[in-house]
Amino acid sequence: MASPVYEQLLTVQDLDLALLQYRHRHANHPIQQQITELDDELATYQTTADEISGRQSELSAKEAELASEVAVIEAKRAEIDAKLYDGSVTGTKDLLALQDEAEMLVSRQSDLEDVELEIMEQVEQVDAELAPVTTQILGLLARRAEEEGLLAAALAEIEQEISTSETLRVEAASPIPADLLSHYESLRDDLGGVAVARLVGSTCDGCHMALSAVSFDQIKRQGDDALVNCDQCGRILIR
Ligand SMILES: [Zn+2]
């Protein structure tokens, strides 16, 4: 039977291993992976939405340009109408010239208005193109928000487990002599978390190797309180 302090070391090791797992799960939670995948999907849809919005802006700019051209023509036509009917122009030749100019302006305005109609149709098409993309983005954002909520709850639960295990670890480690604890900790970091193993017969259950006959004999002669290490892997052995 080994000294209780070594059994205590095994309890510390179990808690350290549990903490390692909790911290790993906290840092690599599967929900976080799902959120990352949603972000990738969102980025793809956002690129499409940006491209469509770009075309929307171009069309809006063209619409505004045409509207201002039409406004200029309308103002000119009003000016000509005024001249034609206010009696300020009396010569037949001048009146005909004004009438020609007015007709030319009407024709120009009609052409511009045709283009305006075409652009309005294009705006409708682009709006229809954007609508399903926006729906997808909103759906993904809602799913993301849901996953964020689930992740926060899951992480809070793990943090609680970590906090409990840390308290238990402090309690479990308190009766262990400082030099033994630091020997354990440095072995633990070198040996992937498992620094304490039981000796089963003459086999170390850390590395599953049989101890050499000489080493096994030496260990048997040591007192219960003595620190013995596996001659194969170096782990602290509990007898
Ligand atoms: Zn070993």
Side-chain angles (χ1 to χ4, degrees):
M1 185 65 208
S3 129
V5 87
Y6 292 108
E7 291 290 338
Q8 197 66 19
L9 204 51
L10 210 51
T11 305
V12 169
Q13 174 164 281
D14 286 346
L15 287 165
D16 281 348
L17 287 171
L19 278 165
L20 209 62
Q21 283 181 353
Y22 287 139
R23 291 194 178 113
H24 179 79
R25 211 184 306 162
H26 194 275
N28 304 281
H29 203 281
I31 297 178
Q32 184 57 62
Q33 182 56 39
Q34 285 173 22
I35 291 174
T36 306
E37 283 168 19
L38 285 173
D39 282 344
D40 289 347
E41 224 179 312
L42 268 167
T44 306
Y45 278 109
Q46 197 54 58
T47 304
T48 308
D50 289 347
E51 186 268 319
I52 299 172
S53 297
R55 280 189 279 139
Q56 250 178 349
S57 306
E58 277 172 31
L59 290 172
S60 296
K62 271 189 202 165
E63 261 185 330
E65 205 179 298
L66 284 167
S68 83
E69 264 185 77
V70 168
V72 169
I73 290 173
E74 279 176 338
K76 267 192 193 163
R77 284 178 59 199
E79 211 177 289
I80 291 169
D81 276 355
K83 278 187 193 165
L84 280 173
Y85 301 112
D86 68 1
S88 61
V89 181
T90 49
T92 313
K93 212 177 153 192
D94 290 342
L95 284 168
L96 284 173
L98 280 176
Q99 265 172 355
D100 279 354
E101 197 185 349
E103 273 167 30
M104 192 268 287
L105 287 171
V106 167
S107 155
R108 172 77 183 137
Q109 183 172 344
S110 163
D111 288 348
L112 288 176
E113 280 167 352
D114 286 347
V115 179
E116 259 186 324
L117 274 177
E118 275 170 32
I119 287 180
M120 277 160 77
E121 274 170 27
Q122 286 175 28
V123 167
E124 268 176 36
Q125 283 170 6
V126 171
D127 286 350
E129 219 181 307
L130 186 59
V133 180
T134 306
T135 305
Q136 288 287 348
I137 289 175
L138 291 176
L140 286 168
L141 284 173
R143 271 174 62 199
R144 193 189 190 284
E146 209 176 296
E147 296 292 343
E148 282 277 10
L150 292 174
L151 179 64
L155 292 184
E157 217 171 284
I158 296 170
E159 281 155 21
Q160 186 55 53
E161 299 282 8
I162 289 174
S163 165
T164 306
S165 297
E166 277 173 347
T167 308
L168 290 173
R169 206 272 187 191
V170 171
E171 284 168 18
S174 67
I176 299 172
D179 54 348
L180 177 58
L181 195 62
S182 64
H183 176 55
Y184 153 75
E185 281 167 355
S186 91
L187 276 177
R188 176 196 64 188
D189 297 342
D190 293 342
L191 291 167
V194 180
V196 186
R198 282 191 190 278
L199 185 62
V200 181
S202 64
T203 301
C204 159
D205 81 347
C207 64
H208 305 289
M209 305 269 280
L211 268 65
S212 68
V214 176
S215 178
F216 187 56
D217 261 6
Q218 278 173 353
I219 286 171
K220 275 198 294 186
R221 284 198 296 272
Q222 303 268 5
D224 283 348
D225 287 342
L227 169 66
V228 292
N229 293 84
C230 169
D231 67 346
Q232 305 291 334
C233 67
R235 289 185 171 89
I236 299 166
L237 286 174
I238 298 187
R239 294 162 286 159

